C-alpha cells in the first residue's frame, strides 16, 4: 500500500491546533502565578479556569478520537483497493459454452 496515495486526514491539524491552544492556556496560568494578580486577564482566568481547561481537554479528546476513526476508515478503504491498483471487477457466475459448440 502506498502511503502517498492516502487522502489527508483533516482531523489531525485540528488536534494540533487545540493542543497549541491548551499549551498557551497553561503558559498563561504560569504567567498568572508570577504576574500581577489584579490584572484583568488574571481575574478572568481565575474565574473561568476550570471551564476553560475542561473544554480544551474535551476538544482535544474528541478531535483525537475522530482523527483515529477517520484514519482507520481511510486505511481500510485503501487496503480494499490495493490489490492491482484497480477496484475489483465483478466476475461472471457461470461460463456458457459458445454457440454452435
Amino acid at each position: 500500500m502506498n502511503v502517498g496515495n492516502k487522502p489527508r486526514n483533516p482531523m489531525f491539524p485540528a488536534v494540533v491546533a487545540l493542543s497549541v491552544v491548551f499549551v498557551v492556556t497553561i503558559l498563561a496560568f504560569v504567567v498568572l502565578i508570577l504576574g500581577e494578580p489584579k490584572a484583568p486577564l488574571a481575574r478572568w482566568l481565575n474565574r473561568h479556569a476550570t471551564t476553560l481547561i475542561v473544554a480544551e481537554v474535551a476538544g482535544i479528546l474528541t478531535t483525537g478520537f475522530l482523527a483515529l476513526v477517520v484514519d482507520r476508515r481511510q486505511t481500510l478503504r485503501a487496503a480494499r483497493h490495493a490489490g492491482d491498483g484497480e477496484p475489483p471487477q465483478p466476475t461472471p457466475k457461470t461460463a456458457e459454452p459458445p454457440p454452435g459448440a
Side-chain angles (χ1 to χ4, degrees), residues 7-8 13 15 19 21-22 24 28-29 32 42-43 51-52 57 81-82 84 97 100-101:
R8 185 172 179 204
V15 174
S19 298
V21 169
F22 179 77
V24 168
F29 284 127
L32 170 71
R43 283 195 256 159
T51 306
L52 188 61
V57 169
H81 298 296
D84 56 350

Side-chain angles (χ1 to χ4, degrees), residues 1-84:
M1 179 170 43
N2 187 357
V3 178
N5 292 339
K6 198 168 147 183
R8 185 172 179 204
N9 188 338
M11 297 307 295
F12 285 125
V15 174
V16 171
L18 285 171
S19 298
V20 168
V21 169
F22 179 77
V23 169
V24 168
T25 302
I26 296 301
L27 291 175
F29 284 127
V30 170
V31 170
L32 170 71
I33 292 170
L34 301 174
E36 176 63 38
K38 295 188 186 220
L41 180 61
R43 283 195 256 159
W44 188 87
L45 283 174
N46 278 331
R47 267 185 263 133
H48 302 290
T50 305
T51 306
L52 188 61
I53 293 297
V54 167
E56 289 174 359
V57 169
I60 291 170
L61 291 175
T62 302
T63 55
F65 178 74
L66 289 173
L68 293 173
V69 169
V70 169
D71 188 59
R72 180 69 177 158
R73 291 185 74 193
Q74 289 175 345
T75 302
L76 291 175
R77 187 175 296 134
R80 264 188 260 135
H81 298 296
D84 56 350

